[in-house]
Amino acid sequence: MTHIMLPDGFLPWWMSVGGAVVAVLIVGACTVGMRAEASARTVSAAAVLTALMVVVMSLDLIPIGYELHGTVLTGIVIGPRLSAISAVGFNVVRALFGDGAITNVGLNTVLTWCEMAGGFIAFRLLSPLVRARRVALAGGLATVTSLGLTTLVYLAVIIGSGEATVSAVLDNNATFGLNGGRLPNVGSEAFAAVTLVAGAIGWTLEGLATGVILAFIARARPGVVRGLHGYSGISPDITNGLRSKPHS
């Protein structure tokens, strides 16, 4: 729901340039201190999960036209710093495949990174659930929260670009996925409402999937999940507890 799939030239130049500038600032800030986090294991995980995102976001949930993301799962596993590099690579590949435009890579990188970093932060804030070994619930809630907030940013970008951009998104079926249909004369308020309603269904489904996958990874290979590392208030033994102690 938050991937801008408009061809080059549909967004105002100032929006595309602004997105590119923000993306460069994010990547620049995230690369500071990245060497301490980057290891063969974390870089490999980032590469695999980025490839998974490319595949997953090519699938639509019919009939709501929602594209699965995989961004929050990736962000929780690899952390916000590596997520910035992952977001750039993901959006460049998508643009080269024709799903989006080269001039939108900056904006899409910002949106993708917001989902990834937001999911990581939300997951860390849900540490009481993690301590209670409710990793699946924490992952699901983090997914819904991050995707919901990022959708608001997406709506601000599209609606802030003008009615012509809203009409272009509708005509392109980027949000509604209506199998070739069109929704003419739909205002910004209706566009935002339908996007949020359809998105809420998608966020819930993705939250369920993310929670299940994350819980499995946390039990099988807890050291891989960066979201479980070093958060104040979480016992150093929590990852061992996730793996070794059965649920009551």
Side-chain angles (χ1 to χ4, degrees):
M1 301 296 287
T2 58
H3 193 76
I4 300 173
M5 295 183 289
L6 294 175
D8 289 306
F10 276 83
L11 287 178
W13 68 268
W14 52 268
M15 186 69 77
S16 296
V17 172
V21 170
V22 174
V24 169
L25 292 176
I26 289 173
V27 173
C30 287
T31 53
V32 176
M34 183 181 290
R35 181 172 298 181
E37 294 183 6
S39 65
R41 183 171 63 179
T42 56
V43 171
S44 297
V48 170
L49 289 171
T50 302
L52 179 64
M53 285 164 50
V54 173
V55 174
V56 167
M57 202 177 279
S58 300
L59 305 175
D60 281 349
L61 295 181
I62 306 299
I64 61 174
Y66 179 88
E67 291 183 339
L68 295 172
H69 294 60
T71 48
V72 175
L73 174 63
T74 302
I76 293 172
V77 172
I78 68 176
R81 286 195 175 94
L82 279 173
S83 289
I85 305 302
S86 174
V88 173
F90 166 76
N91 283 292
V92 168
V93 171
R94 293 276 291 187
L96 293 176
F97 284 166
D99 195 357
I102 296 298
T103 54
N104 295 340
V105 167
L107 276 172
N108 280 327
T109 294
V110 173
L111 292 170
T112 302
W113 182 80
C114 284
E115 291 181 357
M116 300 168 84
F120 178 86
I121 293 170
F123 183 78
R124 296 289 289 272
L125 292 176
L126 291 168
S127 59
L129 291 176
V130 176
R131 286 197 297 270
R133 302 181 188 85
R134 298 294 184 264
V135 175
L137 180 57
L141 291 175
T143 299
V144 173
T145 300
S146 181
L147 294 181
L149 292 175
T150 306
T151 299
L152 296 178
V153 179
Y154 165 82
L155 288 172
V157 170
I158 298 299
I159 295 174
S161 297
E163 291 294 332
T165 302
V166 174
S167 298
V169 172
L170 294 175
D171 290 346
N172 197 45
N173 301 314
T175 300
F176 294 92
L178 295 178
N179 300 320
R182 296 182 64 185
L183 290 177
N185 303 318
V186 174
S188 297
E189 294 81 4
F191 165 72
V194 176
T195 299
L196 292 173
V197 170
I201 299 172
W203 309 332
T204 302
L205 294 174
E206 181 152 2
L208 291 172
T210 299
V212 170
I213 296 171
L214 192 60
F216 172 78
I217 297 174
R219 291 183 67 87
R221 296 293 298 275
V224 172
V225 183
R226 184 155 189 83
L228 294 174
H229 295 179
Y231 187 83
S232 60
I234 295 181
S235 167
D237 298 328
I238 183 63
T239 53
N240 291 329
L242 286 168
R243 182 164 52 183
S244 61
K245 294 182 181 180
H247 292 284
S248 58

